[in-house]
Amino acid sequence: MNNLISHTKIWNTLKTHQQSLAQIHMRDLFASDSQRFERFSVEACDLLLDYSKNRLTTETLTLLQQLATTAKLQKWIARMFQGEKVNNTEQRAALHIALRNRSNTSILVDGKEVMPEVNMILAKMRQFSESVRSGEWRGYTGKPIKSIVNIGIGGSDLGPAMVTRALKAYHPPHLRAYFVSNADGTHLGETLTELDPETTLFIVASKTFTTQETLLNARSARQWLINKLGDEKAVAKHFVAVSTAKQKVTEFGIDPANMFEFWDWVGGRYSLWSAIGLPIVVMIGMDNFEQLLSGAHQLDKHFETAPFDKNLPVLMGLISVWYSSFFNATTEAILPYDYTLELFPAYLQQLVMESLGKQVTREGENVDYPTCPIIWGAPGNNGQHAFYQLLHQGTLMIPTDFIIAIFSQHNFPGHQEAVLSNALAQTYALMMGRNPEETQALLKIPNPSLPQCEIEKSEKLTQQLPHRVFPGNQPSNTLIYKKLTPKILGTLIALYEHKVFVQSVCWGINPFDQWGVELGKQVAGTLLPTLCSEQEKDAHHTIKHDPSTEGLLNYIKAYRHG
Ligand code: G6Q
């Protein structure tokens, strides 16, 4: 039995089509079609996507849409939106769309309406965030809260941290947000030195409430608070939890009344729209959080209803499949020309690579095509002075997403013009390159039939020629919006969530499980007894490790036990 998409007719057609396009330069595609921008750009949900600087033609798009049809994309979209258990290995629905279902239409999981619970938690988040923001919520000694600290990791950290940072312009002046995720005590320690226990509120965010790093940080923060305020009762006024595991939260010592619930049909990396967004709500206010949800909802509707050739996530997903599967591109770079999005590449690393870093199909069959590109990136202008060299003259094909805000959050004269012109100049240069003739003309290489000194000059410049040539033909998408608002950010995040879904459907994989992460959680405890044992030669003899691990353990233990 072979159900792989790579064994379908359309896959082979795309392979042949790729061979015909492989030698064509994008500058020729532009030269032969004055309407290329109009043809290959879409405006929807307050975003403009220009995908004309890609190595594709109308035929490519038609074939890619046929691929999506063969993979039954429309059916899979409907399944996800209807709350079916699309996460087949965990037998769960993936209903992040319900969390931002601002139309409040009915959505069922196992025959049960989910919207009443979603709305109930949103109302609880409003009430809590307003009491913290207004100063009504008091710490143990009667002072209002000035700092919130989110303790969580992975999906319980990256999304809220990225959004909170991106929407800094919406923070009230009297509140500060911190995010502690790493088990290295330095992360917590450095954060605590900036904090006053009397005015600090900790949000312990963990879907399972079993995650080693989060529980370690939460325990140490709890102890710090008790030591500073001298009373265990202080915990009730300074700790709240966000989790699906009420029992574990209670066992930890957090009053269930201070717990914000979510559900197993919310995946960690898709959870910022749920109570996991609590730090966002405290920092930007519930009305703005609802705008974030509205932006995502708007994109959800677009994804569900727009025809494939006008559908932003479908187009971006198919283009990504085109490069990964047919050009063997192994990475994609995310380049925001909007400094507020500085954490967006890191957030997308998890969203994309945890979702698509899979080697078997939903049915468990090994794939025979590469699945997930490696995601990396950094804010545009900074990247230009660092890694763009690789994009311009390296040997790899690296598709890029330029994400551009027309207006910045801060208006210093001349700054935004510099940002915008650099962004556009880069997409242009990556596409066009500079061929040897153009480079020769630019270097002003003199005519060699001239005096000796001119000949030498000419030779030197000719030697430089290959170093100054830029092949171009590097593909890019450009996404433009007016200014980053909560609503636009919601739209942008949902766009990438659904782009990932489109890729997963084309490749036939389940994007909603993460057994690799689970493995990390399982093995996290296996070396602990060995490391903690005082005697160098005891515990690690009970569990036999490979010689490398044994050697490393012994080296570390020699230092630890002096
Ligand atoms: C996300 C993953 C993973 C998870 C963290 C934290 O999709 O499942 O990144 O979010 O491991 O898990 P907890 O929220 O359960 O602590």
Side-chain angles (χ1 to χ4, degrees):
M1 183 191 70
N2 193 325
N3 293 319
L4 297 179
I5 188 86
S6 53
H7 293 243
T8 58
K9 197 165 157 239
I10 184 65
W11 190 274
N12 275 325
T13 312
L14 274 160
K15 266 170 110 174
T16 313
H17 176 65
Q18 188 275 338
Q19 281 157 17
S20 69
L21 257 185
Q23 304 310 321
I24 297 179
H25 200 287
M26 272 191 280
R27 56 161 70 193
D28 297 325
L29 294 177
F30 273 94
S32 63
D33 180 4
S34 60
Q35 297 296 300
R36 196 171 161 83
F37 171 76
E38 288 75 13
R39 210 181 300 288
F40 298 121
S41 59
V42 184
E43 204 181 347
C45 305
D46 304 317
L47 288 172
L48 171 74
L49 167 66
D50 169 22
Y51 60 101
S52 61
K53 293 193 186 90
N54 276 295
R55 295 175 67 174
L56 51 78
T57 61
T58 312
E59 189 189 351
T60 321
L61 275 190
T62 307
L63 295 176
L64 286 170
Q65 286 171 64
Q66 283 172 20
L67 180 76
T69 305
T70 305
K72 302 192 172 63
L73 177 60
Q74 202 68 62
K75 189 187 83 181
W76 280 102
I77 295 172
R79 282 186 167 177
M80 176 170 72
F81 277 66
Q82 284 160 11
E84 280 189 35
K85 293 185 174 160
V86 288
N87 178 356
N88 64 319
T89 61
E90 295 181 296
Q91 273 302 296
R92 286 174 184 169
L95 268 182
H96 35 292
I97 58 112
L99 301 166
R100 60 229 190 181
N101 175 19
R102 305 307 291 159
S103 323
N104 208 22
T105 46
S106 149
I107 299 178
L108 304 174
V109 171
D110 290 328
K112 191 178 162 222
E113 284 284 358
V114 296
M115 289 316 296
E117 278 186 277
V118 167
N119 292 329
M120 196 185 77
I121 297 296
L122 286 174
K124 190 171 171 182
M125 287 161 74
R126 174 179 286 280
Q127 192 249 329
F128 172 77
S129 62
E130 283 173 358
S131 79
V132 173
R133 287 165 65 85
S134 67
E136 186 193 327
W137 180 287
R138 299 275 159 159
Y140 180 66
T141 58
K143 293 187 179 171
I145 298 302
K146 289 187 185 157
S147 307
I148 58 161
V149 184
N150 189 79
I151 297 179
I153 198 164
S156 302
D157 167 66
L158 288 161
M162 181 275 287
V163 173
T164 302
R165 192 273 165 264
L167 299 176
K168 205 171 191 168
Y170 295 79
H171 294 189
H174 64 283
L175 276 175
R176 278 177 169 263
Y178 299 83
F179 288 82
V180 174
S181 53
N182 204 290
D184 183 338
T186 306
H187 200 175
L188 180 66
E190 286 182 354
T191 307
L192 293 179
T193 55
E194 293 185 31
L195 299 173
D196 173 357
E198 292 183 82
T199 57
T200 298
L201 179 79
F202 294 93
I203 300 173
V204 186
S206 175
K207 181 173 169 178
T208 55
F209 231 77
T210 56
T211 306
Q212 186 190 41
E213 295 88 343
T214 300
L215 293 188
L216 261 175
N217 279 323
R219 279 195 200 102
S220 301
R222 188 174 184 273
Q223 200 51 53
W224 172 83
L225 187 94
I226 294 169
N227 291 348
K228 295 279 181 185
L229 299 185
D231 191 345
E232 203 154 320
K233 287 201 196 89
V235 172
K237 291 286 171 200
H238 294 268
F239 273 78
V240 298
V242 182
S243 186
T244 57
K246 200 175 215 161
Q247 180 68 29
K248 295 203 170 73
V249 169
T250 315
E251 281 162 19
F252 181 84
I254 295 178
D255 184 347
N258 291 343
M259 174 182 154
F260 296 79
E261 207 182 340
F262 64 114
W263 311 273
D264 71 0
W265 44 262
V266 182
R269 56 195 170 279
Y270 298 89
S271 65
L272 69 91
W273 323 97
S274 71
I276 288 289
L278 194 62
I280 307 171
V281 181
V282 173
M283 293 311 291
I284 68 171
M286 194 63 194
D287 290 346
N288 283 321
F289 188 73
E290 284 178 355
Q291 283 296 307
L292 185 87
L293 301 181
S294 294
H297 182 55
Q298 173 175 274
L299 199 286
D300 293 341
K301 290 264 137 229
H302 167 80
F303 182 46
E304 212 185 353
T305 56
F308 284 174
D309 63 342
K310 296 274 177 285
N311 194 312
L312 299 175
V314 171
L315 288 167
M316 287 179 67
L318 291 178
I319 291 170
S320 191
V321 168
W322 176 229
Y323 292 128
S324 297
S325 295
F326 299 95
F327 281 86
N328 296 322
T330 50
T331 84
E332 275 177 22
I334 307 295
L335 311 170
Y337 281 75
D338 181 341
Y339 195 67
T340 65
L341 292 178
E342 64 173 325
L343 300 182
F344 200 52
Y347 161 78
L348 284 183
Q349 283 186 327
Q350 184 195 25
L351 176 68
V352 180
M353 297 201 278
E354 217 168 82
S355 300
L356 300 174
K358 313 284 165 66
Q359 53 181 306
V360 294
T361 63
R362 277 183 227 101
E363 292 75 32
E365 196 171 348
N366 278 301
V367 298
D368 58 6
Y369 41 85
T371 52
C372 184
I374 295 161
I375 301 296
W376 57 287
N381 284 61
N382 303 64
Q384 283 174 221
H385 299 269
F387 56 77
Y388 276 37
Q389 169 63 35
L390 172 75
L391 303 179
H392 286 294
Q393 290 187 306
T395 54
L396 299 171
M397 182 213 231
I398 303 177
T400 49
D401 285 354
F402 283 72
I403 304 174
I404 304 173
I406 298 174
F407 295 101
S408 164
Q409 307 293 336
H410 292 271
N411 282 325
F412 290 104
H415 282 233
Q416 199 55 11
E417 290 77 3
V419 170
L420 293 170
S421 55
N422 269 290
L424 298 189
Q426 288 294 330
T427 67
Y428 171 78
L430 287 169
M431 184 273 286
M432 282 293 280
R434 194 170 69 201
N435 65 26
E437 296 73 46
E438 289 161 344
T439 310
Q440 203 159 7
L442 203 81
L443 289 175
K444 295 197 179 72
I445 299 179
N447 185 339
S449 65
L450 292 170
Q452 187 60 31
C453 64
E454 288 291 295
I455 292 173
E456 276 168 22
K457 198 173 161 193
S458 166
E459 277 172 2
K460 273 191 189 143
L461 287 172
T462 306
Q463 278 167 13
Q464 284 203 11
L465 192 65
H467 301 277
R468 306 280 193 106
V469 166
F470 298 86
N473 222 9
Q474 280 282 34
S476 67
N477 290 316
T478 301
L479 272 169
I480 303 194
Y481 49 85
K482 192 172 159 201
K483 186 173 181 176
L484 197 90
T485 58
K487 189 166 180 204
I488 276 292
L489 183 59
T491 305
L492 196 62
I493 299 167
L495 166 58
Y496 277 92
E497 285 179 347
H498 294 322
K499 174 195 167 186
V500 166
F501 186 68
V502 171
Q503 289 167 274
S504 79
V505 171
C506 289
W507 288 324
I509 59 181
N510 175 7
F512 298 119
D513 61 10
Q514 56 284 311
W515 297 105
V517 180
E518 309 304 331
L519 173 74
K521 290 185 182 185
Q522 280 156 24
V523 299
T526 59
L527 287 172
L528 209 57
T530 315
L531 206 58
C532 294
S533 73
E534 285 303 319
Q535 319 239 307
E536 196 186 311
K537 292 279 174 199
D538 57 6
H540 71 279
H541 283 161
T542 53
I543 309 167
K544 196 74 188 150
H545 300 106
D546 64 88
S548 161
T549 310
E550 294 271 317
L552 293 169
L553 272 170
N554 286 337
Y555 187 82
I556 292 167
K557 286 178 64 140
Y559 274 96
R560 281 172 58 88
H561 304 310

